[in-house]
Amino acid sequence: SGTPPDTFAWDFGGGATPNTSNEESPTITLGAEGQYNASLTVSNANGSDTLDFILDVIAPPHVENITPNTGLAFSTFTFDVTLSGGTPTSYLWTFPNDLFTIDSSADPEPTVTCNAAPNIGFCTLRVENAAGFHEYSFPFMVQ
């Protein structure tokens, strides 16, 4: 609030490239995951003011692997997911109706029951956080 600033001095605490900028709205590339002590100092003829903040750099989640990819007819099991990157804030599983007794789930590792065999179809898991999302499709065979 008050008189608009004449100058801007950003310091991203080592969490971005470039690490500093004198632009009002700089374009930066975020660095490695972590929390960085950052600041913005604005100045005009009346003085200056500094806002200290935490720059929290997170990576989007990435699905590496899902097991199992086969199941026996009428068996119940829980999917196991191997992830890298940032921690997901949401999960969305979609399943073919002819493979399982459910067609979707928001559970991180859902428990499902296979329908009658034999059958094969593609399942999908979408994981998401504030940095982005990853969608992973995989074949599943009911034996």
Side-chain angles (χ1 to χ4, degrees):
S1 65
T3 306
D6 296 322
T7 64
F8 300 84
W10 292 90
D11 181 340
F12 298 106
T17 301
N19 189 48
T20 61
S21 176
N22 293 323
E23 297 177 26
E24 181 176 352
S25 299
T27 299
I28 61 171
T29 301
L30 296 175
E33 277 190 276
Q35 291 188 330
Y36 301 88
N37 294 317
S39 65
L40 168 62
T41 300
V42 293
S43 303
N44 63 22
N46 297 320
S48 66
D49 193 17
T50 299
L51 171 68
D52 293 320
F53 62 97
I54 300 295
L55 176 61
D56 194 8
V57 179
I58 60 173
H62 185 82
V63 178
E64 298 292 334
N65 192 38
I66 296 175
T67 57
N69 58 12
T70 62
L72 298 175
F74 308 109
S75 66
T76 299
F77 62 90
T78 301
F79 280 109
D80 182 45
V81 181
T82 304
L83 297 167
S84 62
T87 302
T89 54
S90 70
Y91 295 78
L92 178 58
W93 294 83
T94 54
F95 307 114
N97 287 348
D98 52 348
L99 289 186
F100 303 106
T101 55
I102 62 172
D103 60 1
S104 66
S105 176
D107 291 336
E109 295 182 338
T111 298
V112 298
T113 301
C114 293
N115 283 331
N119 206 346
I120 191 167
F122 279 86
C123 305
T124 302
L125 171 59
R126 179 186 170 109
V127 290
E128 188 170 349
N129 68 15
F133 72 92
H134 182 230
E135 200 164 276
Y136 183 87
S137 293
F138 61 100
F140 190 92
M141 179 184 289
V142 177
Q143 300 173 341

